[in-house]
Amino acid sequence: MRMRAFQSSDINQMVSLFYETIHAVNARDYTEEQLNAWAPQDEMDAKLIKWKDSFVRNITYIAETNDEIVGFGDMTRNGYLDRLFVHKNFQGQGIATALMNKLESEARKIGLTKIETEASITAKPFFERRGYQVIEPQTIERKGITLINFKMSKRLISE
């Protein structure tokens, strides 16, 4: 696996990875109705444009194996972890850990002392193992459907 910075040409693979992963991996914790509200197929084209802009602004890393994107993560410059996704066929191989190690290291380099995120039910145990604390559970609404996630944060210690 190779880790590298985001390039604009990555966006199609990243959006596809997001949709496929949500509908496959998160299906163990959310209903089909919730998954369709969270990652509706009819929003893919809009995400290509909107996400590309935010990936350029944010600190964004790609995990790649054999020229295939197998994971990605991005964080704002003020420490909000926006997205962290690993391809449905590459779960449990340390990709999310490698991405988070890189993002947390970058956060320290720019002087951040804390990272915050909103973790799904599925991702919550991963973040807890990394030292993230639940601030509060949240009920969010997407397309009239409610979903549970968790506002979480981690204090960064200098390396």
Side-chain angles (χ1 to χ4, degrees):
M1 180 186 70
R2 158 177 111 99
M3 190 86 60
R4 63 172 175 79
F6 168 75
Q7 299 166 359
S8 294
S9 59
D10 297 327
I11 192 67
N12 287 347
Q13 276 190 75
M14 294 167 76
V15 170
S16 292
L17 184 154
F18 164 77
Y19 281 92
E20 291 171 17
T21 299
I22 295 291
H23 286 276
V25 176
N26 296 92
R28 66 178 171 235
D29 297 307
Y30 296 91
T31 67
E32 187 173 347
E33 185 180 48
Q34 289 172 316
L35 298 172
N36 288 330
W38 181 2
Q41 290 295 322
D42 64 355
E43 288 182 4
M44 280 186 77
D45 289 339
K47 273 201 179 9
L48 289 172
I49 297 163
K50 184 179 174 188
W51 280 20
K52 187 176 183 179
D53 291 341
S54 66
F55 286 138
V56 168
R57 276 192 316 274
N58 291 350
I59 299 166
T60 306
Y61 284 98
I62 305 295
E64 196 173 57
T65 300
N66 300 323
D67 295 322
E68 178 185 5
I69 294 175
V70 295
F72 66 88
D74 72 308
M75 173 184 68
T76 65
R77 296 188 182 279
N78 63 359
Y80 177 74
L81 178 69
D82 198 355
R83 290 159 286 226
L84 178 69
F85 289 95
V86 173
H87 191 287
K88 64 186 175 85
N89 297 335
F90 291 85
Q91 298 283 310
Q93 297 181 26
I95 295 166
T97 297
L99 285 163
M100 285 308 303
N101 287 346
K102 184 72 173 163
L103 288 166
E104 288 176 7
S105 175
E106 289 298 313
R108 286 183 193 95
K109 281 182 192 171
I110 63 172
L112 297 176
T113 58
K114 179 171 72 166
I115 294 179
E116 295 182 318
T117 195
E118 294 175 61
S120 66
I121 295 168
T122 314
K124 180 178 171 261
F126 167 80
F127 284 106
E128 287 176 326
R129 286 191 301 274
R130 291 194 62 83
Y132 285 73
Q133 306 274 320
V134 173
I135 297 168
E136 63 183 350
Q138 302 182 120
T139 301
I140 58 168
E141 187 177 313
R142 298 250 164 106
K143 296 186 172 258
I145 306 298
T146 59
L147 297 97
I148 302 295
N149 72 11
F150 299 89
K151 191 172 199 168
M152 301 182 80
S153 73
K154 177 182 180 177
R155 290 251 165 243
L156 297 176
I157 300 163
S158 297
E159 292 181 326

